[in-house]
Amino acid sequence: AQSVTQLGSHVSVSEGALVLLRCNYSSSVPPYLFWYVQYPNQGLQLLLKYTSAATLVKGINGFEAEFKKSETSFHLTKPSAHMSDAAEYFCAVSDQNRRNEKLTFGTGTRLTIIP
Amino acid sequence: NAGVMQNPRHLVRRRGQEARLRCSPMKGHSHVYWYRQLPEEGLKFMVYLQKENIIDESGMPKERFSAEFPKEGPSILRIQQVVRGDSAAYFCASRSGTVNNEQFFGPGTRLTVL
């Protein structure tokens, strides 16, 4: 079975500061990993995904994440936070060996940007 | 190209009534997923369908919940005899048949059971 743990249900950073959202996964097979963002009362939007190519993945809105197999981590970073980054962020994993590709999500991290 | 459409966006039901949630996938997408998001929680997988077939329903409650994706028309998630614990946001996602392709999410249906 797969699982995702997101450390920190709430993270606050100052505008212009580094954003670091943590995600650790558990999977018995090579995983595919995703970060999604959810704005209030909206659906999820894909930020970036890791599918066994480059371990450093660049996404939209200046976000990137690095897959570290030895640490079973896929942390999300952005060098300089913007007010528009305030949202909920979800890390997810799917099993690349299974045909159904369903996603298993973490419980989310709510990011607040301090002006 | 329109995104994934869900309706209604908000649905209020009294205990014991039926709730029908609709999802129209993106054009050209034949794979549909339903997820449920309880308050203050992440999304939980419910069911995966392709046209006219249920592929994986391992996340569906055993009773009162059913899903379909007919040859024509939207996918339907049906909840019979709703209870307060069914109050949640229900999200539909679709993808094309290409392996490892991205799932695109709809805006969700927020179900409130009074």
Side-chain angles (χ1 to χ4, degrees):
Chain A
Q2 300 172 299
S3 66
V4 171
T5 301
Q6 291 185 241
L7 293 175
S9 58
H10 293 83
V11 170
S12 296
V13 301
S14 297
E15 189 175 14
L18 171 72
V19 175
L20 171 61
L21 304 182
R22 299 178 185 276
C23 172
N24 289 88
Y25 70 90
S26 173
S27 178
S28 57
V29 297
Y32 288 151
L33 293 158
F34 307 80
W35 276 99
Y36 283 86
V37 61
Q38 184 182 31
Y39 297 100
N41 297 317
Q42 295 187 26
L44 277 68
Q45 180 183 8
L46 182 68
L47 279 176
L48 49 79
K49 62 181 179 181
Y50 165 77
T51 55
S52 72
T55 56
L56 181 62
V57 181
K58 294 187 184 298
I60 62 172
N61 301 339
F63 284 94
E64 63 181 37
E66 186 172 7
F67 173 70
K68 292 188 177 180
K69 184 178 179 180
S70 60
E71 299 178 8
T72 61
S73 69
F74 190 58
H75 301 331
L76 181 71
T77 60
K78 182 174 179 178
S80 177
H82 191 273
M83 295 300 294
S84 61
D85 295 326
E88 185 119 26
Y89 292 79
F90 292 96
C91 182
V93 62
S94 74
D95 178 355
Q96 66 172 286
N97 290 330
R98 292 176 63 87
R99 297 296 300 275
N100 65 16
E101 299 186 29
K102 65 185 179 185
L103 296 171
T104 300
F105 286 89
T107 51
T109 297
R110 189 177 301 276
L111 177 64
T112 301
I113 310 299
I114 304 166
Chain B
N1 186 11
V4 178
M5 309 283 283
Q6 288 188 251
N7 67 81
R9 294 290 308 275
H10 299 274
L11 182 61
V12 179
R13 286 287 179 265
R14 296 189 181 279
R15 282 179 296 169
Q17 291 184 319
E18 178 179 287
R20 280 182 180 246
L21 288 62
R22 295 174 186 78
C23 169
S24 297
M26 286 181 68
K27 185 177 181 180
H29 287 190
S30 57
H31 300 243
V32 166
Y33 301 77
W34 285 93
Y35 295 86
R36 177 165 65 174
Q37 184 179 30
L38 294 170
E40 304 301 319
E41 293 187 17
L43 281 73
K44 296 283 197 301
F45 167 78
M46 299 182 75
V47 62
Y48 164 47
L49 311 102
Q50 293 181 29
K51 284 285 188 181
E52 299 185 278
N53 287 300
I54 297 174
I55 307 301
D56 181 350
E57 56 182 347
S58 58
M60 288 277 271
K62 297 295 182 212
E63 298 178 349
R64 303 187 296 107
F65 284 71
S66 62
E68 63 177 11
F69 189 17
K71 185 177 181 180
E72 301 291 338
S75 175
I76 306 287
L77 179 67
R78 182 182 178 204
I79 311 172
Q80 295 178 290
Q81 300 175 336
V82 296
V83 300
R84 289 215 173 109
D86 297 333
S87 295
Y90 292 82
F91 291 95
C92 167
S94 74
R95 67 174 179 88
S96 71
T98 304
V99 176
N100 302 324
N101 209 4
E102 175 187 347
Q103 292 183 29
F104 291 83
F105 282 79
T109 294
R110 278 153 184 85
L111 172 65
T112 301
V113 179
L114 301 177

